[in-house]
Amino acid sequence: MDNLSVNQRAAILSVVMLVVGLLIWESVIPAQKAVGELTEYERLTGGGQPKAGVPPPSQVLSKAWEQLSDPFYDAGPNDKGIGIQIGYSIYRVLTGYVLAAVVAIPLGFLIGMSQVAYKAFNPFIQVLRPISPLAWMPLALFIIQDSEASAIFVIFICSIWPMLLNTAFGVAGVRKDWVNVARTHELGSLRTAFTVILPAAAPTIVTGMRISIGIAWLVIVAAEMLVGGTGIGYYVWNEWNNLDLTSVIFSILMIGVVGMLLDAAFGFLQRAVAYAE
């Protein structure tokens, strides 16, 4: 073990923790007892049916194999593969997220470069930022009258604040010496913004984008539970209504995996824009 790198030792430890956790989970789940001979009353009331319980990991793995072997099947409105459901959710997240970036990053530049703009916008930001994104859903449904567009709006409103604030903070934190050198060379405001301020503020901006994508993925699951139809949030809620806890746990794990991949993508982007003075 001493010859292994820190990353290799961490990976081995993670695998060991996973295996131990799965073994403990498997061992503590009691076996479901078969239903014996029922009385006429039990048959009429359904009292003899086995109760739903938390499934062991072996059942969850079996469900994962079943779902992932054909993730894009479409057997009707209420029976779509996990790949299709995740695809709908990612589409909504990215649509609202891109719209938020188009608004937040230019506005963040303006706020970061101007104290007047900061003082003017700050009261609105401080009032709107703490509002839960899902609190906007009833109003969005009433005004927009479309569940798809309402879900995208909720993603937009929850994604905009981390990007806006981090962009403003990053722009305001650019060293004044660099901006003064750009003015000495008679660079225009637009060229200064793209050649001096943007590269210096890029790590902070991408940090805000990374925070926003995590929040957006959290919110879309809750939003789809409310609006229904399609998406991984709707899938979780539909399986819960069917009392299929195996599918619920599988979908929860898939939400975590997709969230991890989205965060990893922005982590790679964050390292790519690291600014060396």
Side-chain angles (χ1 to χ4, degrees):
M1 289 290 289
D2 293 337
N3 297 327
L4 300 177
S5 67
V6 173
N7 290 337
Q8 290 172 330
R9 282 183 284 177
I12 293 173
L13 181 59
S14 295
V15 172
V16 171
M17 291 169 62
L18 175 63
V19 171
V20 171
L22 291 177
L23 289 175
I24 294 174
W25 180 6
E26 185 80 30
S27 63
V28 299
I29 299 299
Q32 294 289 330
K33 296 181 179 179
V35 180
E37 188 69 25
L38 303 181
T39 65
E40 183 178 357
Y41 176 76
E42 287 176 332
R43 286 197 296 268
L44 290 173
T45 61
Q49 296 180 358
K51 295 181 179 179
V54 176
S58 55
Q59 289 186 17
V60 178
L61 291 175
S62 176
K63 173 62 70 172
W65 176 261
E66 173 190 334
Q67 290 289 327
L68 296 177
S69 61
D70 186 16
F72 299 105
Y73 77 87
D74 189 349
N78 294 321
D79 190 9
K80 299 181 187 295
I82 191 69
I84 294 178
Q85 304 287 16
I86 291 175
Y88 276 110
S89 297
I90 292 177
Y91 162 74
R92 293 174 183 132
V93 165
L94 293 182
T95 301
Y97 183 83
V98 170
L99 292 173
V102 169
V103 174
I105 294 177
L107 187 57
F109 257 84
L110 175 63
I111 293 173
M113 295 179 69
S114 170
Q115 286 192 354
V116 174
Y118 171 79
K119 291 183 180 296
F121 280 102
N122 187 56
F124 300 100
I125 294 173
Q126 297 308 318
V127 169
L128 297 175
R129 183 171 60 89
I131 299 174
S132 169
L134 293 180
W136 293 96
M137 180 61 78
L139 185 63
L141 287 170
F142 179 78
I143 295 175
I144 302 174
Q145 297 185 359
D146 181 84
S147 59
E148 180 88 7
S150 297
I152 291 172
F153 171 77
V154 169
I155 297 303
F156 168 84
I157 204 69
C158 79
S159 300
I160 195 170
W161 308 117
M163 283 191 280
L164 175 64
L165 295 174
N166 273 53
T167 301
F169 178 76
V171 170
V174 174
R175 289 172 55 178
K176 300 302 180 185
D177 295 344
W178 298 344
V179 179
N180 292 334
V181 170
R183 290 173 180 170
T184 301
H185 288 79
E186 298 182 351
L187 298 181
S189 299
L190 193 60
R191 190 173 178 186
T192 300
F194 279 99
T195 60
V196 178
I197 298 175
L198 181 59
T204 307
I205 295 173
V206 175
T207 299
M209 296 174 70
R210 187 177 183 179
I211 295 171
S212 288
I213 196 68
I215 296 173
W217 185 245
L218 286 172
V219 170
I220 192 60
V221 174
E224 287 171 345
M225 286 182 178
L226 292 177
V227 300
T230 53
I232 188 65
Y234 169 75
Y235 179 88
V236 174
W237 193 248
N238 189 52
E239 295 305 325
W240 160 247
N241 288 331
N242 295 332
L243 291 180
D244 187 351
L245 293 182
T246 304
S247 295
V248 170
I249 294 175
F250 164 69
S251 58
I252 290 172
L253 294 176
M254 290 304 300
I255 292 169
V257 169
V258 174
M260 180 186 69
L261 293 176
L262 290 173
D263 183 76
F266 277 88
F268 176 80
L269 178 60
Q270 196 172 21
R271 291 189 294 271
V273 301
Y275 186 75
E277 296 187 13

